[in-house]
Amino acid sequence: MARVVVDVMLKPEILDPQGQAVANALPRLGVTDVSSVRIGRRIEIDFTGEPDLDRAREIADKLLANPVIEDFEIRVEGAAAEVA
């Protein structure tokens, strides 16, 4: 079984209120050396045969990510990242 991982993140120019909330809470935990936090999603897709990156890209583009406000990266688990 082949696993493809899709990481979805808000585009850098989009405000991330969840990330901001985490960043604001860190000093209360004694963490003072973090300048920013961004929150994203990791989706794992298991293929029955060889990993199909083109199919995974289509799934991510049409279903998993909103291309207006999010970017995604696709990679075969254990391989180097491929930017979509």
Side-chain angles (χ1 to χ4, degrees):
M1 183 168 11
R3 175 168 290 165
V4 174
V5 176
V6 181
D7 292 314
V8 180
M9 296 292 295
L10 288 171
K11 291 183 176 184
E13 62 271 15
I14 302 297
L15 294 176
D16 182 356
Q18 287 180 306
Q20 187 66 40
V22 170
N24 290 342
L26 289 175
R28 291 191 295 264
L29 298 174
V31 179
T32 59
D33 57 347
V34 174
S35 61
S36 69
V37 176
R38 305 280 294 172
I39 304 292
R41 299 187 306 281
R42 172 188 163 116
I43 299 102
E44 297 177 353
I45 303 170
D46 292 329
F47 288 92
T48 54
E50 289 297 311
D52 188 339
L53 293 178
D54 290 331
R55 176 69 66 167
R57 185 174 291 106
E58 180 183 7
I59 292 167
D61 189 48
K62 292 182 177 178
L63 183 64
L64 303 177
N66 178 346
V68 174
I69 62 169
E70 295 174 317
D71 291 325
F72 62 88
E73 292 183 356
I74 299 172
R75 68 180 184 281
V76 176
E77 188 160 76
E82 176 185 323
V83 177

